[in-house]
Amino acid sequence: MLELSFIKENKDKVLEGLERRCYPAETTQIIDQILDLNEQRKSLQAFVDVKKSEINKLSGQIGQLFKSGEADKANALKEDVAKVKEEIGGKESQLSETSEQLTLLLYKIPNVPHPSVVKGQSDEDNEVHIPHKGDLPVLGEDAKPHWELAKQYNLFDLELGVKITGAGFPLYRGKGAKLERALINYFLDEASKRGYEEIIPPLLVNEASGIGTGSLPDKEGQMYYVEKDDLYLIPTAEVPVTNIYRGDILDEAQLPIKLTGYTPCFRREAGSYGAHVRGLNRVHQFNKVEIVRFEKPENSYAALEEMLKHVTDLLEALGLPFRVLRLCGGDLTFASALTYDFEVYSAAQKRWLEVSSVSNFETFQSNRMKTRYKDANKKKQLVHTLNGSALALARIVACILENNQTAEGITVPEVLRPYTKFDIID
RNA sequence: GGAAGAGUGGCAGAGCUGGUUUAAUGCACUGGUCUUGAAAACCAGCGUACGGCAACGUACCGGGGGUUCGAAUCCCUCCUCUUCCGCCA
């Protein structure tokens, strides 16, 4: 959520940001509504505060009078209080309604994109930030997509997942399960090497946590919801991990805070089904290692570059052909100011698959969560939050299987062998 | 799941027979005095949010609601924690 003070002082920037996101014109009007409501709120509060102050004073006097036995005078004052209350009338409830409305409207305004983000409608307008190096791999005519390879080598089973749960819940087995576990451990170890503290968070979160990171309100439909306990299954470790510091005022010395966590991720994503979402390309449950950072504002973009390098290193080590995109305004997620998407090329499917997304949210999440720090002058400031996948597993597995297939079997990337304890899947 | 008790400012902890509590006191923390320096001692400051140039005002004693002229204090409700019992990886 944007800060009210920022909207007030930088209305043009906010509008220009909406423009680059290709937001509909109605959203522009919300900005004016917000500013109007805020003025209303301010005058309401000033009024109510003064009246309450009067009541407080009178009540104090009544107390004194009762003590000194002057009940008559006290009772007379009670009538004065009643008058003041009448003056307040519905203003107090108006005040709280106005504040609530204001918050709801603020929730509707997305983050202002970083100046480097280009205007664009959809993923077709994304810019290539780091192009793929060298030629794209070409496989033989008989190359198979990962869902066929999985069947051939008995690595994961989507039909069994259907039997046990439903569509989109893969069951990994044998070397498929071991490969999955190897990747998780490898990614966690690499994050640890770079100074991230490992976290195992709860997989269900409450409403406040969902609001903190921006998964709520509005996006309820994308999360699994346990009605009986009013809890949500996490769509990413970002939600529980970022909310660790919800409502906290940190010490400057604590920053930066670097956290990593492996969790399964649950996404309802009632989207389309078809050839392009076959196999592991899109599932309701997948595994992911997430990295999360809390930074001082002046350091957050350097941190983003570090994260970019981190993910780049992982993909290079795995030997997967990839490119990095800088998302255009229209493809940027609601809370993000700048996002880099990583896409891995699937040689068998002959298409790019998104495997990671690294974003700087600046103060958008921290303003919702009220996560601040005291700077050198002891002034409270919102921190910047960042996060990224390092990495999301399902599609990485798909690409490893497809790109590394040989007549003898699927070769395991060198860096994973200490974890898998086998070199080839055959 | 059942029973009992409890949730107060960074921590500890009073207040909880409703009215100088505008939340005592201690510790921690910050600044100052003293000192060669430090410690000790002493003095002062020391929560968050909103409004206001400011003085200051308002709200917050787990969350929400209620009673009252007035609520940390009484009532209702939800949440959490502790102890005991039950169940259980």
Side-chain angles (χ1 to χ4, degrees):
Chain A
M1 155 168 92
L2 292 176
E3 291 167 88
L4 247 175
S5 56
F6 181 85
I7 298 179
K8 222 159 118 185
E9 288 156 30
N10 302 279
K11 189 180 161 188
D12 50 331
K13 277 189 192 167
V14 176
L15 292 177
E16 191 271 337
L18 289 173
E19 172 81 16
R20 272 188 290 149
R21 281 179 178 268
C22 295
Y23 258 57
E26 302 96 81
T27 318
T28 312
Q29 293 162 13
I30 296 181
I31 303 292
D32 288 320
Q33 276 181 51
I34 286 172
L35 295 175
D36 285 351
L37 268 181
N38 190 39
E39 290 309 312
Q40 278 180 45
R41 196 201 94 243
K42 274 168 35 176
S43 63
L44 278 170
Q45 190 180 354
F47 180 84
V48 171
D49 280 1
V50 169
K51 292 299 167 193
K52 281 198 166 176
S53 173
E54 285 175 29
I55 293 176
N56 285 345
K57 273 194 199 111
L58 289 170
S59 295
Q61 287 170 26
I62 292 173
Q64 295 291 341
L65 290 170
F66 273 123
K67 258 191 182 169
S68 56
E70 298 171 88
D72 294 351
K73 282 186 183 173
N75 285 320
L77 280 184
K78 279 192 192 180
E79 283 174 32
D80 289 353
V81 173
K83 275 184 211 156
V84 179
K85 282 198 162 177
E86 218 168 285
E87 287 178 55
I88 293 182
K91 291 271 170 60
E92 200 172 3
S93 56
Q94 256 183 60
L95 174 62
S96 56
E97 275 166 34
T98 307
S99 302
E100 271 172 45
Q101 268 183 46
L102 192 57
T103 307
L104 286 178
L105 286 181
L106 280 169
Y107 281 159
K108 293 190 178 189
I109 306 299
N111 203 353
V112 176
H114 185 266
S116 70
V117 171
V118 297
K119 181 179 175 175
Q121 194 78 240
S122 69
D123 56 359
E124 286 170 21
D125 300 315
N126 292 338
E127 293 183 308
V128 175
H129 183 65
I130 302 174
H132 169 247
K133 294 189 185 88
D135 296 329
L136 289 175
V138 179
L139 295 176
E141 281 298 304
D142 53 345
K144 294 174 182 164
H146 66 274
W147 51 88
E148 286 181 24
L149 294 165
K151 202 161 250 177
Q152 182 180 339
Y153 297 109
N154 206 17
L155 300 176
F156 60 86
D157 194 326
L158 286 165
E159 276 128 56
L160 259 182
V162 170
K163 175 183 176 183
I164 299 165
T165 307
F169 290 88
L171 177 141
Y172 299 86
R173 67 192 318 166
K175 284 187 170 174
K178 286 188 191 299
L179 178 64
E180 192 81 1
R181 185 156 55 88
L183 281 161
I184 292 165
N185 284 331
Y186 170 63
F187 292 152
L188 284 174
D189 284 352
E190 289 301 309
S192 292
K193 276 187 205 164
R194 288 168 170 83
Y196 290 83
E197 181 193 357
E198 190 169 331
I199 304 284
I200 300 180
L203 303 182
L204 283 86
V205 294
N206 57 29
E207 188 187 24
S209 295
I211 288 174
T213 39
S215 313
L216 292 171
D218 287 352
K219 290 172 210 66
E220 286 89 343
Q222 292 175 22
M223 283 192 285
Y224 286 95
Y225 175 56
V226 183
E227 194 168 6
K228 201 167 181 185
D229 298 290
D230 196 20
L231 295 171
Y232 297 85
L233 273 73
I234 58 168
T236 157
E238 167 195 345
V239 180
V241 172
T242 309
N243 273 283
I244 290 173
Y245 294 102
R246 168 155 47 85
D248 286 1
I249 298 176
L250 303 164
D251 219 51
E252 188 176 18
Q254 284 177 266
L255 299 173
I257 293 170
K258 300 163 73 178
L259 306 170
T260 185
Y262 151 70
T263 67
C265 301
F266 304 94
R267 305 218 175 151
R268 294 188 68 236
E269 296 185 350
S272 62
Y273 292 85
H276 66 292
V277 294
R278 280 195 73 179
L280 295 176
N281 288 347
R282 179 179 280 190
V283 284
H284 288 308
Q285 180 183 327
F286 61 95
N287 295 310
K288 178 159 66 67
V289 172
E290 183 80 358
I291 50 177
V292 172
R293 296 174 71 135
F294 295 81
E295 295 278 350
K296 289 198 267 183
E298 61 268 33
N299 294 339
S300 72
Y301 279 95
L304 185 68
E305 289 308 311
E306 248 181 67
M307 292 163 79
L308 186 77
K309 176 76 166 54
H310 178 166
V311 178
T312 303
D313 289 348
L314 294 180
L315 290 172
E316 277 174 359
L318 290 172
L320 294 170
F322 71 95
R323 64 180 185 183
V324 182
L325 304 178
R326 186 172 43 220
L327 298 192
C328 71
D331 207 25
L332 217 52
T333 57
F334 191 76
S336 174
L338 179 58
T339 296
Y340 293 116
D341 264 13
F342 288 75
E343 293 187 333
V344 164
Y345 187 74
S346 152
Q349 296 180 67
K350 296 195 176 63
R351 51 190 287 257
W352 293 97
L353 297 174
E354 182 192 332
V355 292
S356 173
S357 180
V358 177
S359 304
N360 188 352
F361 302 98
E362 298 187 354
T363 60
F364 197 85
Q365 287 182 329
S366 60
N367 189 35
R368 280 195 174 198
M369 293 197 300
K370 297 288 175 265
T371 302
R372 289 159 295 173
Y373 77 100
K374 278 190 181 160
D375 65 17
N377 305 317
K378 307 221 167 164
K379 270 190 70 178
K380 285 177 285 291
Q381 276 201 60
L382 292 168
V383 300
H384 280 196
T385 62
L386 303 94
N387 68 52
S389 12
L391 282 165
L393 289 233
R395 293 178 189 166
I396 287 287
V397 168
C399 287
I400 289 176
L401 298 183
E402 291 172 359
N403 290 11
N404 293 11
Q405 57 184 303
T406 68
E408 289 75 41
I410 295 157
T411 53
V412 174
E414 201 88 38
V415 290
L416 294 181
R417 292 181 189 174
Y419 296 94
T420 55
K421 313 275 200 306
F422 53 81
D423 301 352
I424 192 159
I425 298 171
D426 51 12

